[in-house]
Amino acid sequence: MNDFSLNIENLSKSFTIHAQGGLRLPVLKSFDLDVASGECIALVGPSGAGKSTLLRCIYANYLADSGRIALNNHGEVVDIRTAAPREVLKLRQHVIGYVSQFLRVIPRVPTVQVVAEPLRDRNIPADEATARAEKLLARLNVPEKLWQIPPATFSGGEQQRVNIARGFIYDFPLLLLDEPTASLDRANGSVVIELINEARERGAAIIGIFHDEDVRAEVATRLVEVQPLQAAA
Amino acid sequence: MTALMDQDQPLLRVSSVTKYYDLMIGCRNVSFDLWPGEVLGIVGESGSGKSTLLNCLSTRLEPNSGAIEYNTRASGLVDLFTMSEAERRMLMRTDWGFVHQNPRDGLRMGVSAGANIGERMMAVGARVYGDIRESAAHWLGRVEFDIDRMDHLPSTFSGGMQQRVQIARNLAVNPRLIFMDEPTGGLDVSVQARLLDLLRELVGDLGLSAIVVTHDLAVARLLSHRLMVMRNGEVVESGLTDQVLDDPQHPYTQLLVSSILQV
Protein backbone atom coordinates (compact mmCIF):
# COMPACT_ATOMS: atom_id res chain seq x y z
CA MET A 1 0.00 0.00 0.00
CA ASN A 2 2.94 2.35 0.53
CA ASP A 3 3.59 2.86 -3.12
CA PHE A 4 0.33 4.64 -3.71
CA SER A 5 0.13 8.38 -4.23
CA LEU A 6 -1.85 11.06 -5.95
CA ASN A 7 -0.01 14.07 -7.33
CA ILE A 8 -2.02 16.99 -8.60
CA GLU A 9 0.02 19.59 -10.43
CA ASN A 10 -0.98 22.93 -11.83
CA LEU A 11 -4.63 21.93 -12.15
CA SER A 12 -7.07 24.41 -13.66
CA LYS A 13 -10.77 24.03 -14.15
CA SER A 14 -13.29 26.50 -15.48
CA PHE A 15 -16.85 26.20 -16.72
CA THR A 16 -17.93 27.80 -19.98
CA ILE A 17 -21.65 28.49 -20.16
CA HIS A 18 -22.52 28.67 -23.85
CA ALA A 19 -26.11 29.72 -23.19
CA GLN A 20 -24.68 32.85 -21.54
CA GLY A 21 -22.67 33.88 -24.57
CA GLY A 22 -19.67 31.78 -23.61
CA LEU A 23 -19.44 33.10 -20.04
CA ARG A 24 -16.36 31.59 -18.45
CA LEU A 25 -16.32 30.77 -14.74
CA PRO A 26 -12.85 29.87 -13.49
CA VAL A 27 -12.97 27.67 -10.39
CA LEU A 28 -9.52 26.20 -9.86
CA LYS A 29 -6.28 27.74 -11.02
CA SER A 30 -2.81 26.19 -10.82
CA PHE A 31 -3.87 23.97 -7.96
CA ASP A 32 -1.27 21.58 -6.50
CA LEU A 33 -1.76 18.76 -4.03
CA ASP A 34 0.17 15.61 -3.11
CA VAL A 35 -1.53 12.86 -1.15
CA ALA A 36 0.07 9.67 0.12
CA SER A 37 -1.50 6.51 1.47
CA GLY A 38 -2.40 6.73 5.16
CA GLU A 39 -3.26 10.43 4.87
CA CYS A 40 -6.63 12.05 5.29
CA ILE A 41 -6.71 15.49 3.70
CA ALA A 42 -9.56 17.81 4.67
CA LEU A 43 -10.28 20.45 2.06
CA VAL A 44 -11.28 23.72 3.66
CA GLY A 45 -12.58 26.94 2.21
CA PRO A 46 -15.89 28.76 1.80
CA SER A 47 -18.81 27.36 -0.18
CA GLY A 48 -18.24 27.77 -3.89
CA ALA A 49 -14.45 27.77 -3.58
CA GLY A 50 -14.22 24.62 -5.72
CA LYS A 51 -13.77 21.84 -3.17
CA SER A 52 -16.42 19.56 -4.72
CA THR A 53 -15.21 20.51 -8.19
CA LEU A 54 -11.73 19.31 -7.23
CA LEU A 55 -13.09 15.95 -6.01
CA ARG A 56 -15.11 15.55 -9.20
CA CYS A 57 -12.05 16.31 -11.35
CA ILE A 58 -10.12 13.60 -9.49
CA TYR A 59 -12.99 11.17 -10.15
CA ALA A 60 -12.98 12.32 -13.82
CA ASN A 61 -16.62 13.25 -13.48
CA TYR A 62 -15.56 16.79 -14.44
CA LEU A 63 -13.06 17.45 -17.18
CA ALA A 64 -10.21 19.68 -15.96
CA ASP A 65 -8.83 22.22 -18.46
CA SER A 66 -5.13 21.72 -17.88
CA GLY A 67 -2.59 20.32 -15.47
CA ARG A 68 -2.01 16.78 -14.24
CA ILE A 69 -3.82 14.42 -11.89
CA ALA A 70 -1.22 11.69 -11.66
CA LEU A 71 -2.27 8.58 -9.84
CA ASN A 72 0.61 6.29 -8.96
CA ASN A 73 -0.66 2.83 -8.08
CA HIS A 74 2.25 0.47 -7.40
CA GLY A 75 4.42 2.12 -10.01
CA GLU A 76 1.70 2.32 -12.64
CA VAL A 77 1.11 6.03 -13.28
CA VAL A 78 -2.06 7.28 -14.95
CA ASP A 79 -2.98 10.91 -15.60
CA ILE A 80 -6.69 10.88 -14.81
CA ARG A 81 -7.27 14.12 -16.66
CA THR A 82 -6.29 12.66 -20.01
CA ALA A 83 -6.99 8.94 -19.46
CA ALA A 84 -9.29 7.14 -21.90
CA PRO A 85 -12.80 6.37 -20.60
CA ARG A 86 -12.06 2.67 -20.25
CA GLU A 87 -8.96 3.41 -18.16
CA VAL A 88 -11.00 5.70 -15.92
CA LEU A 89 -13.67 3.04 -15.49
CA LYS A 90 -11.02 0.54 -14.50
CA LEU A 91 -9.65 2.99 -11.91
CA ARG A 92 -13.16 3.52 -10.51
CA GLN A 93 -13.54 -0.23 -10.20
CA HIS A 94 -10.22 -0.89 -8.49
CA VAL A 95 -8.70 2.29 -7.12
CA ILE A 96 -10.96 5.29 -6.55
CA GLY A 97 -14.02 5.25 -4.33
CA TYR A 98 -16.26 8.31 -4.30
CA VAL A 99 -18.98 9.17 -1.81
CA SER A 100 -20.98 11.99 -3.31
CA GLN A 101 -23.55 14.13 -1.54
CA PHE A 102 -26.40 12.64 -3.49
CA LEU A 103 -27.24 9.07 -4.26
CA ARG A 104 -27.76 8.29 -7.91
CA VAL A 105 -28.99 4.78 -8.54
CA ILE A 106 -30.88 2.62 -10.95
CA PRO A 107 -34.60 2.63 -10.33
CA ARG A 108 -35.96 -0.47 -8.64
CA VAL A 109 -32.64 -1.97 -7.51
CA PRO A 110 -32.83 -2.96 -3.81
CA THR A 111 -30.59 -1.14 -1.34
CA VAL A 112 -28.53 -4.20 -0.44
CA GLN A 113 -27.67 -4.69 -4.12
CA VAL A 114 -26.81 -1.02 -4.55
CA VAL A 115 -24.30 -1.40 -1.73
CA ALA A 116 -22.96 -4.76 -2.93
CA GLU A 117 -22.45 -3.57 -6.50
CA PRO A 118 -18.79 -2.49 -6.16
CA LEU A 119 -18.03 -6.06 -5.00
CA ARG A 120 -20.15 -7.69 -7.70
CA ASP A 121 -18.26 -5.59 -10.27
CA ARG A 122 -15.11 -7.24 -9.01
CA ASN A 123 -16.63 -10.70 -9.48
CA ILE A 124 -17.03 -11.44 -5.80
CA PRO A 125 -19.77 -14.10 -5.46
CA ALA A 126 -23.28 -12.73 -4.85
CA ASP A 127 -23.79 -14.32 -1.42
CA GLU A 128 -20.49 -13.02 -0.05
CA ALA A 129 -21.07 -9.55 -1.51
CA THR A 130 -24.59 -9.47 -0.05
CA ALA A 131 -23.38 -10.60 3.37
CA ARG A 132 -20.77 -7.86 3.46
CA ALA A 133 -23.30 -5.26 2.31
CA GLU A 134 -25.72 -6.31 5.05
CA LYS A 135 -23.02 -6.11 7.68
CA LEU A 136 -22.09 -2.59 6.67
CA LEU A 137 -25.72 -1.44 6.45
CA ALA A 138 -26.29 -2.81 9.95
CA ARG A 139 -23.21 -1.01 11.24
CA LEU A 140 -24.54 2.24 9.74
CA ASN A 141 -27.90 1.63 11.47
CA VAL A 142 -29.90 1.34 8.25
CA PRO A 143 -32.97 -0.62 9.46
CA GLU A 144 -33.07 -4.19 8.16
CA LYS A 145 -36.61 -3.72 6.84
CA LEU A 146 -35.23 -1.25 4.28
CA TRP A 147 -32.55 -3.50 2.82
CA GLN A 148 -34.73 -5.05 0.12
CA ILE A 149 -36.32 -1.71 -0.84
CA PRO A 150 -34.80 0.58 -3.48
CA PRO A 151 -33.36 3.69 -1.77
CA ALA A 152 -35.23 6.22 -3.95
CA THR A 153 -37.85 6.91 -1.29
CA PHE A 154 -35.47 6.97 1.71
CA SER A 155 -34.82 10.04 3.86
CA GLY A 156 -31.74 12.16 3.15
CA GLY A 157 -29.82 10.63 6.04
CA GLU A 158 -30.70 7.07 5.00
CA GLN A 159 -29.66 7.70 1.39
CA GLN A 160 -26.41 9.19 2.58
CA ARG A 161 -25.66 6.08 4.65
CA VAL A 162 -26.39 3.85 1.64
CA ASN A 163 -23.94 5.98 -0.33
CA ILE A 164 -21.32 5.69 2.41
CA ALA A 165 -21.78 1.92 2.59
CA ARG A 166 -21.21 1.74 -1.18
CA GLY A 167 -18.00 3.74 -0.84
CA PHE A 168 -16.59 1.73 2.05
CA ILE A 169 -17.59 -1.81 1.10
CA TYR A 170 -14.44 -2.28 -0.90
CA ASP A 171 -10.96 -1.25 0.29
CA PHE A 172 -10.30 1.42 -2.32
CA PRO A 173 -6.73 2.81 -2.17
CA LEU A 174 -8.13 6.31 -2.74
CA LEU A 175 -11.36 7.63 -1.22
CA LEU A 176 -13.04 10.91 -2.14
CA LEU A 177 -15.63 11.98 0.43
CA ASP A 178 -17.94 14.90 -0.26
CA GLU A 179 -19.60 15.87 3.04
CA PRO A 180 -20.12 12.27 4.18
CA THR A 181 -21.69 13.29 7.49
CA ALA A 182 -23.78 16.26 6.32
CA SER A 183 -27.25 14.81 6.93
CA LEU A 184 -26.37 12.44 9.77
CA ASP A 185 -27.08 12.62 13.48
CA ARG A 186 -24.22 12.38 15.97
CA ALA A 187 -24.44 8.61 16.51
CA ASN A 188 -24.35 7.80 12.80
CA GLY A 189 -21.74 10.47 12.24
CA SER A 190 -19.44 8.71 14.68
CA VAL A 191 -19.83 5.39 12.81
CA VAL A 192 -18.67 7.24 9.68
CA ILE A 193 -15.72 8.72 11.58
CA GLU A 194 -14.74 5.19 12.64
CA LEU A 195 -15.00 3.94 9.06
CA ILE A 196 -12.84 6.79 7.78
CA ASN A 197 -10.19 6.21 10.42
CA GLU A 198 -10.17 2.46 9.81
CA ALA A 199 -9.74 3.07 6.08
CA ARG A 200 -6.85 5.43 6.71
CA GLU A 201 -5.20 2.99 9.10
CA ARG A 202 -5.32 0.22 6.51
CA GLY A 203 -3.47 2.61 4.18
CA ALA A 204 -6.11 4.40 2.14
CA ALA A 205 -5.40 7.91 0.89
CA ILE A 206 -8.45 10.03 1.67
CA ILE A 207 -9.49 13.47 0.45
CA GLY A 208 -12.64 14.86 1.97
CA ILE A 209 -14.86 17.84 2.56
CA PHE A 210 -16.07 17.94 6.17
CA HIS A 211 -17.96 21.04 7.18
CA ASP A 212 -18.44 19.83 10.75
CA GLU A 213 -15.29 20.95 12.58
CA ASP A 214 -15.55 18.18 15.18
CA VAL A 215 -15.63 15.55 12.44
CA ARG A 216 -12.72 17.24 10.70
CA ALA A 217 -10.69 17.24 13.90
CA GLU A 218 -11.26 13.52 14.38
CA VAL A 219 -10.35 12.34 10.88
CA ALA A 220 -8.02 14.82 9.17
CA THR A 221 -4.25 14.40 9.24
CA ARG A 222 -3.78 17.60 7.22
CA LEU A 223 -5.86 20.59 6.16
CA VAL A 224 -5.58 21.99 2.64
CA GLU A 225 -7.14 25.29 1.77
CA VAL A 226 -9.08 25.83 -1.44
CA GLN A 227 -9.39 29.56 -2.02
CA PRO A 228 -12.07 31.19 -4.13
CA LEU A 229 -10.27 32.64 -7.17
CA GLN A 230 -11.50 36.21 -6.79
CA ALA A 231 -10.11 36.36 -3.26
CA ALA A 232 -6.83 34.78 -4.31
CA ALA A 233 -6.28 37.20 -7.17
CA MET B 1 -21.27 -1.63 -14.21
CA THR B 2 -19.56 -4.94 -14.58
CA ALA B 3 -15.92 -5.62 -15.30
CA LEU B 4 -14.54 -4.52 -18.61
CA MET B 5 -12.47 -7.24 -20.14
CA ASP B 6 -8.77 -6.69 -20.42
CA GLN B 7 -8.04 -7.12 -24.08
CA ASP B 8 -5.66 -5.15 -26.15
CA GLN B 9 -7.63 -5.11 -29.41
CA PRO B 10 -10.85 -3.21 -30.01
CA LEU B 11 -13.85 -5.26 -31.09
CA LEU B 12 -14.91 -2.63 -33.60
CA ARG B 13 -12.77 0.07 -35.15
CA VAL B 14 -14.60 2.83 -36.99
CA SER B 15 -12.58 5.29 -39.08
CA SER B 16 -13.97 8.42 -40.77
CA VAL B 17 -17.31 6.90 -41.71
CA THR B 18 -19.40 9.17 -43.94
CA LYS B 19 -22.79 8.47 -45.45
CA TYR B 20 -24.73 10.79 -47.77
CA TYR B 21 -28.29 10.43 -48.97
CA ASP B 22 -28.07 12.06 -52.39
CA LEU B 23 -26.80 15.44 -51.28
CA MET B 24 -28.07 15.22 -47.71
CA ILE B 25 -25.62 14.29 -44.98
CA GLY B 26 -26.49 11.17 -43.02
CA CYS B 27 -23.36 11.10 -40.91
CA ARG B 28 -19.95 12.59 -41.49
CA ASN B 29 -16.46 11.61 -40.50
CA VAL B 30 -17.29 9.43 -37.50
CA SER B 31 -14.41 7.57 -35.83
CA PHE B 32 -14.20 5.55 -32.63
CA ASP B 33 -13.05 2.25 -31.15
CA LEU B 34 -15.40 -0.04 -29.26
CA TRP B 35 -13.70 -2.34 -26.77
CA PRO B 36 -14.85 -5.76 -25.56
CA GLY B 37 -17.37 -5.44 -22.74
CA GLU B 38 -17.95 -1.76 -23.47
CA VAL B 39 -21.35 -0.15 -23.97
CA LEU B 40 -21.35 2.94 -26.17
CA GLY B 41 -24.35 5.26 -26.14
CA ILE B 42 -25.11 7.47 -29.13
CA VAL B 43 -27.42 10.38 -28.35
CA GLY B 44 -28.79 13.29 -30.35
CA GLU B 45 -32.12 14.60 -31.54
CA SER B 46 -34.17 13.17 -34.42
CA GLY B 47 -32.30 13.65 -37.67
CA SER B 48 -28.90 13.94 -36.00
CA GLY B 49 -27.61 10.93 -37.92
CA LYS B 50 -27.49 8.44 -35.07
CA SER B 51 -29.69 5.84 -36.78
CA THR B 52 -27.81 6.28 -40.07
CA LEU B 53 -24.59 5.62 -38.20
CA LEU B 54 -26.05 2.56 -36.49
CA ASN B 55 -27.23 1.21 -39.83
CA CYS B 56 -23.77 1.72 -41.33
CA LEU B 57 -22.08 0.02 -38.40
CA SER B 58 -24.39 -2.97 -38.63
CA THR B 59 -23.84 -3.09 -42.43
CA ARG B 60 -27.47 -2.41 -43.20
CA LEU B 61 -26.24 0.64 -45.12
CA GLU B 62 -22.97 1.01 -46.99
CA PRO B 63 -21.06 4.22 -46.14
CA ASN B 64 -19.75 6.44 -48.96
CA SER B 65 -16.33 6.54 -47.37
CA GLY B 66 -14.45 5.41 -44.31
CA ALA B 67 -13.79 1.98 -42.85
CA ILE B 68 -15.49 -0.23 -40.28
CA GLU B 69 -13.30 -3.04 -39.05
CA TYR B 70 -14.56 -5.87 -36.88
CA ASN B 71 -12.39 -8.15 -34.80
CA THR B 72 -13.39 -11.55 -36.18
CA ARG B 73 -12.83 -14.72 -34.16
CA ALA B 74 -10.88 -16.25 -37.03
CA SER B 75 -8.67 -13.53 -38.47
CA GLY B 76 -8.67 -10.43 -36.28
CA LEU B 77 -9.66 -6.98 -37.57
CA VAL B 78 -11.32 -7.20 -40.98
CA ASP B 79 -12.98 -4.38 -42.96
CA LEU B 80 -16.67 -5.32 -43.08
CA PHE B 81 -17.19 -3.97 -46.57
CA THR B 82 -14.36 -6.01 -48.07
CA MET B 83 -16.04 -9.21 -46.86
CA SER B 84 -18.31 -11.12 -49.17
CA GLU B 85 -22.04 -10.74 -48.66
CA ALA B 86 -22.17 -14.34 -47.39
CA GLU B 87 -19.40 -13.78 -44.84
CA ARG B 88 -21.10 -10.66 -43.62
CA ARG B 89 -24.43 -12.40 -43.25
CA MET B 90 -22.79 -15.22 -41.31
CA LEU B 91 -21.23 -12.66 -38.97
CA MET B 92 -24.59 -11.02 -38.40
CA ARG B 93 -26.07 -14.39 -37.50
CA THR B 94 -23.31 -15.67 -35.23
CA ASP B 95 -21.63 -12.63 -33.68
CA TRP B 96 -24.16 -9.84 -33.69
CA GLY B 97 -27.60 -8.98 -32.45
CA PHE B 98 -29.88 -6.12 -33.39
CA VAL B 99 -32.63 -4.97 -31.04
CA HIS B 100 -35.12 -2.74 -32.83
CA GLN B 101 -37.26 -0.10 -31.19
CA ASN B 102 -40.36 -1.75 -32.60
CA PRO B 103 -40.34 -5.47 -31.71
CA ARG B 104 -42.32 -6.16 -34.90
CA ASP B 105 -39.19 -5.28 -36.87
CA GLY B 106 -37.13 -7.84 -35.04
CA LEU B 107 -39.62 -10.66 -34.52
CA ARG B 108 -41.53 -12.98 -36.81
CA MET B 109 -45.06 -12.24 -35.76
CA GLY B 110 -46.50 -15.40 -37.35
CA VAL B 111 -44.59 -17.91 -35.21
CA SER B 112 -44.54 -18.49 -31.44
CA ALA B 113 -42.15 -16.82 -28.98
CA GLY B 114 -40.24 -20.09 -28.61
CA ALA B 115 -39.98 -20.53 -32.38
CA ASN B 116 -38.67 -16.98 -32.74
CA ILE B 117 -35.73 -17.98 -30.61
CA GLY B 118 -35.35 -21.49 -32.03
CA GLU B 119 -35.19 -20.08 -35.52
CA ARG B 120 -32.13 -17.99 -34.68
CA MET B 121 -30.44 -21.01 -33.16
CA MET B 122 -31.19 -23.20 -36.18
CA ALA B 123 -29.66 -20.52 -38.39
CA VAL B 124 -26.36 -21.18 -36.69
CA GLY B 125 -26.63 -24.94 -36.87
CA ALA B 126 -28.71 -26.16 -33.91
CA ARG B 127 -30.76 -29.20 -34.97
CA VAL B 128 -31.94 -31.22 -31.96
CA TYR B 129 -35.51 -30.17 -31.11
CA GLY B 130 -35.20 -30.87 -27.37
CA ASP B 131 -32.01 -28.82 -27.06
CA ILE B 132 -33.46 -25.92 -29.00
CA ARG B 133 -36.60 -25.86 -26.91
CA GLU B 134 -34.66 -26.09 -23.68
CA SER B 135 -32.36 -23.28 -24.72
CA ALA B 136 -35.26 -21.09 -25.87
CA ALA B 137 -36.88 -21.59 -22.46
CA HIS B 138 -33.59 -20.69 -20.81
CA TRP B 139 -33.28 -17.39 -22.68
CA LEU B 140 -36.93 -16.52 -22.17
CA GLY B 141 -36.32 -17.12 -18.47
CA ARG B 142 -33.30 -14.81 -18.51
CA VAL B 143 -35.45 -11.95 -19.83
CA GLU B 144 -38.14 -12.74 -17.22
CA PHE B 145 -40.71 -13.86 -19.74
CA ASP B 146 -43.51 -16.12 -18.52
CA ILE B 147 -42.47 -19.54 -19.87
CA ASP B 148 -46.10 -20.75 -19.90
CA ARG B 149 -46.63 -18.44 -22.84
CA MET B 150 -43.70 -19.52 -24.97
CA ASP B 151 -45.98 -21.27 -27.47
CA HIS B 152 -48.15 -18.22 -27.99
CA LEU B 153 -47.85 -15.78 -30.89
CA PRO B 154 -46.05 -12.46 -30.27
CA SER B 155 -49.12 -10.58 -31.50
CA THR B 156 -50.91 -11.65 -28.30
CA PHE B 157 -48.21 -10.06 -26.08
CA SER B 158 -47.87 -6.59 -24.61
CA GLY B 159 -45.14 -4.29 -26.00
CA GLY B 160 -42.89 -5.01 -23.01
CA MET B 161 -43.26 -8.78 -23.45
CA GLN B 162 -42.58 -8.54 -27.18
CA GLN B 163 -39.43 -6.57 -26.44
CA ARG B 164 -38.30 -9.29 -24.02
CA VAL B 165 -38.77 -11.93 -26.69
CA GLN B 166 -36.82 -9.83 -29.17
CA ILE B 167 -33.95 -9.49 -26.69
CA ALA B 168 -33.98 -13.24 -25.94
CA ARG B 169 -33.95 -13.98 -29.69
CA ASN B 170 -30.82 -11.86 -30.00
CA LEU B 171 -29.03 -13.35 -27.00
CA ALA B 172 -29.70 -17.00 -27.89
CA VAL B 173 -26.77 -17.26 -30.31
CA ASN B 174 -24.27 -15.88 -27.78
CA PRO B 175 -23.38 -12.75 -29.75
CA ARG B 176 -20.36 -10.58 -28.97
CA LEU B 177 -21.88 -7.31 -30.12
CA ILE B 178 -25.43 -6.01 -29.88
CA PHE B 179 -26.83 -2.99 -31.66
CA MET B 180 -29.85 -1.40 -30.00
CA ASP B 181 -32.03 1.27 -31.53
CA GLU B 182 -34.14 2.97 -28.83
CA PRO B 183 -34.59 -0.41 -27.06
CA THR B 184 -37.10 0.90 -24.54
CA GLY B 185 -38.57 3.61 -26.77
CA GLY B 186 -42.23 2.71 -26.96
CA LEU B 187 -42.70 1.35 -23.43
CA ASP B 188 -44.35 2.61 -20.23
CA VAL B 189 -41.90 4.04 -17.71
CA SER B 190 -42.42 1.18 -15.26
CA VAL B 191 -41.78 -1.45 -17.94
CA GLN B 192 -38.88 0.61 -19.24
CA ALA B 193 -37.15 0.77 -15.84
CA ARG B 194 -37.32 -3.00 -15.36
CA LEU B 195 -36.15 -3.68 -18.92
CA LEU B 196 -33.24 -1.24 -18.61
CA ASP B 197 -32.13 -2.89 -15.41
CA LEU B 198 -32.39 -6.28 -17.11
CA LEU B 199 -30.43 -5.14 -20.18
CA ARG B 200 -27.75 -3.65 -18.00
CA GLU B 201 -27.45 -6.85 -16.00
CA LEU B 202 -27.38 -9.11 -19.08
CA VAL B 203 -24.80 -7.02 -20.92
CA GLY B 204 -22.62 -7.05 -17.80
CA ASP B 205 -23.04 -10.76 -16.98
CA LEU B 206 -22.45 -11.90 -20.55
CA GLY B 207 -19.56 -9.48 -21.13
CA LEU B 208 -21.22 -8.19 -24.30
CA SER B 209 -20.28 -5.08 -26.18
CA ALA B 210 -23.17 -2.91 -27.22
CA ILE B 211 -23.96 0.21 -29.19
CA VAL B 212 -27.16 1.85 -28.00
CA VAL B 213 -28.84 4.62 -29.94
CA THR B 214 -31.28 6.69 -27.90
CA HIS B 215 -32.60 10.21 -27.63
CA ASP B 216 -33.23 9.63 -23.92
CA LEU B 217 -30.26 10.82 -21.85
CA ALA B 218 -31.49 8.93 -18.79
CA VAL B 219 -31.38 5.67 -20.75
CA ALA B 220 -27.89 6.54 -21.97
CA ARG B 221 -26.74 7.26 -18.41
CA LEU B 222 -28.02 3.93 -17.13
CA LEU B 223 -26.77 1.72 -19.91
CA SER B 224 -23.62 3.16 -21.41
CA HIS B 225 -20.03 3.47 -20.25
CA ARG B 226 -19.21 5.97 -22.92
CA LEU B 227 -21.26 8.50 -24.84
CA MET B 228 -21.14 10.14 -28.27
CA VAL B 229 -23.30 13.19 -28.89
CA MET B 230 -24.36 13.72 -32.51
CA ARG B 231 -25.73 16.74 -34.27
CA ASN B 232 -26.27 17.34 -38.00
CA GLY B 233 -24.51 14.10 -38.82
CA GLU B 234 -21.38 14.83 -36.84
CA VAL B 235 -20.08 13.78 -33.44
CA VAL B 236 -19.81 17.00 -31.44
CA GLU B 237 -18.66 15.52 -28.15
CA SER B 238 -17.67 12.14 -26.74
CA GLY B 239 -16.34 10.78 -23.48
CA LEU B 240 -17.17 9.03 -20.26
CA THR B 241 -20.96 9.02 -19.92
CA ASP B 242 -21.21 10.79 -16.56
CA GLN B 243 -18.58 13.33 -17.59
CA VAL B 244 -20.41 14.25 -20.79
CA LEU B 245 -23.70 14.57 -18.91
CA ASP B 246 -22.42 16.32 -15.75
CA ASP B 247 -19.80 18.56 -17.36
CA PRO B 248 -20.85 18.97 -20.99
CA GLN B 249 -18.38 20.98 -23.06
CA HIS B 250 -20.09 21.55 -26.40
CA PRO B 251 -22.88 24.15 -26.68
CA TYR B 252 -25.24 21.55 -28.14
CA THR B 253 -24.58 19.03 -25.33
CA GLN B 254 -25.13 21.77 -22.77
CA LEU B 255 -28.44 22.57 -24.43
CA LEU B 256 -29.47 18.89 -24.46
CA VAL B 257 -28.57 18.35 -20.81
CA SER B 258 -30.25 21.55 -19.67
CA SER B 259 -33.43 20.57 -21.53
CA ILE B 260 -34.08 17.45 -19.44
CA LEU B 261 -37.29 17.69 -17.47
CA GLN B 262 -36.78 17.08 -13.76
CA VAL B 263 -39.29 14.90 -11.94
Side-chain angles (χ1 to χ4, degrees), chain A residues 29-227:
Chain A
K29 200 174 171 206
S30 306
F31 187 87
D32 296 311
L33 175 65
D34 291 326
V35 190
S37 67
E39 269 196 301
C40 177
I41 309 273
L43 301 174
V44 293
S47 294
K51 303 183 295 294
S52 293
T53 296
L54 175 64
L55 292 187
R56 284 169 176 251
C57 287
I58 299 171
Y59 199 59
N61 176 233
Y62 283 177
L63 183 65
D65 307 336
S66 59
R68 244 166 87 82
I69 305 172
L71 199 148
N72 178 345
N73 189 27
H74 297 268
E76 207 181 307
V77 182
V78 182
D79 181 356
I80 296 172
R81 192 182 76 79
T82 54
R86 61 194 215 102
E87 287 182 273
V88 172
L89 291 171
K90 219 184 280 173
L91 288 177
R92 289 181 180 179
Q93 228 169 62
H94 299 276
V95 182
I96 314 174
Y98 172 48
V99 177
S100 63
Q101 288 183 63
F102 304 100
L103 184 67
R104 176 166 245 149
V105 290
I106 295 118
R108 307 176 67 174
V109 178
T111 295
V112 67
Q113 279 178 36
V114 170
V115 174
E117 196 185 20
L119 296 180
R120 297 290 294 128
D121 282 353
R122 304 176 51 77
N123 298 321
I124 290 172
D127 47 348
E128 188 193 335
T130 307
R132 280 167 65 180
E134 288 176 351
K135 210 169 142 195
L136 202 48
L137 285 167
R139 189 167 169 196
L140 283 158
N141 302 310
V142 176
E144 189 171 346
K145 62 177 190 290
L146 298 182
W147 295 354
Q148 294 305 325
I149 300 173
T153 54
F154 289 8
S155 73
E158 284 160 353
Q159 291 198 359
Q160 187 160 36
R161 280 175 279 155
V162 172
N163 228 356
I164 290 164
R166 226 180 113 86
F168 282 88
I169 193 161
Y170 170 68
D171 289 346
F172 289 106
L174 175 64
L175 277 172
L176 309 171
L177 309 175
D178 195 344
E179 298 261 28
T181 57
S183 356
L184 302 186
D185 58 31
R186 192 153 283 280
N188 286 316
S190 42
V191 177
V192 177
I193 291 170
E194 279 171 29
L195 286 170
I196 295 172
N197 286 329
E198 286 167 18
R200 190 177 47 73
E201 279 157 23
R202 68 159 165 82
I206 302 168
I207 309 175
I209 302 167
F210 313 99
H211 274 299
D212 184 325
E213 286 183 27
D214 297 338
V215 173
R216 201 188 295 160
E218 290 202 55
V219 299
T221 57
R222 184 152 62 100
L223 304 184
V224 168
E225 209 155 329
V226 181
Q227 288 280 359

Side-chain angles (χ1 to χ4, degrees), chain B:
Chain B
M1 261 164 255
T2 317
L4 294 182
M5 275 182 277
D6 247 328
Q7 293 180 23
D8 42 11
Q9 283 269 17
L11 186 64
L12 193 71
R13 168 161 282 169
V14 178
S15 320
S16 310
V17 164
T18 299
K19 171 69 186 171
Y20 289 96
Y21 297 104
D22 293 326
L23 289 174
M24 298 269 293
I25 295 169
C27 62
R28 180 156 62 189
N29 204 18
V30 178
S31 302
F32 67 90
D33 285 342
L34 181 75
W35 296 84
E38 200 171 47
V39 180
L40 172 72
I42 304 177
V43 297
E45 62 200 0
S46 306
S48 60
K50 51 193 199 306
S51 297
T52 298
L53 178 62
L54 193 72
N55 286 329
C56 286
L57 299 176
S58 57
T59 72
R60 288 156 182 268
L61 274 178
E62 185 159 359
N64 295 90
S65 60
I68 303 168
E69 294 165 283
Y70 179 73
N71 200 340
T72 59
R73 294 178 212 243
S75 36
L77 283 171
V78 176
D79 188 332
L80 291 172
F81 291 96
T82 62
M83 287 181 178
S84 70
E85 182 62 33
E87 283 175 314
R88 218 156 45 216
R89 220 175 296 143
M90 192 60 200
L91 196 65
M92 288 178 86
R93 279 206 296 263
T94 57
D95 270 42
W96 293 0
F98 198 112
V99 176
H100 298 264
Q101 173 172 4
N102 187 342
R104 289 170 178 275
D105 296 333
L107 289 177
R108 290 225 293 141
M109 301 304 283
V111 300
S112 71
N116 260 283
I117 295 159
E119 187 184 70
R120 275 300 295 264
M121 296 169 57
M122 285 168 71
V124 296
R127 287 291 175 265
V128 181
Y129 176 80
D131 294 351
I132 294 172
R133 190 168 170 84
E134 193 181 315
S135 185
H138 165 77
W139 285 107
L140 286 169
R142 280 304 298 263
V143 298
E144 298 172 1
F145 178 92
D146 181 1
I147 300 292
D148 292 342
R149 298 194 61 183
M150 82 180 270
D151 296 319
H152 297 192
L153 293 179
S155 54
T156 64
F157 301 156
S158 68
M161 282 172 75
Q162 288 178 356
Q163 199 56 306
R164 285 165 202 269
V165 177
Q166 192 193 180
I167 292 165
R169 175 176 158 102
N170 275 286
L171 294 177
V173 294
N174 295 311
R176 296 159 80 202
L177 173 60
I178 294 207
F179 299 98
M180 300 188 220
D181 190 3
E182 305 278 6
T184 58
L187 304 173
D188 293 336
V189 267
S190 59
V191 179
Q192 177 177 353
R194 184 68 203 109
L195 206 58
L196 281 175
D197 185 34
L198 187 73
L199 274 176
R200 192 175 152 278
E201 202 179 291
L202 286 169
V203 168
D205 284 356
L206 304 171
L208 297 174
S209 300
I211 298 181
V212 186
V213 160
T214 176
H215 68 276
D216 187 335
L217 298 184
V219 168
R221 189 188 278 273
L222 280 184
L223 284 182
S224 60
H225 299 111
R226 208 147 58 89
L227 206 56
M228 286 198 326
V229 182
M230 291 190 72
R231 191 194 194 192
N232 296 335
E234 295 186 1
V235 176
V236 296
E237 180 163 357
S238 66
L240 206 55
T241 298
D242 61 86
Q243 188 184 80
V244 172
L245 295 178
D246 293 341
D247 187 16
Q249 307 290 311
H250 190 275
Y252 177 65
T253 318
Q254 289 189 358
L255 180 71
L256 267 187
V257 171
S258 66
S259 307
I260 304 173
L261 298 176
Q262 301 290 325
V263 182

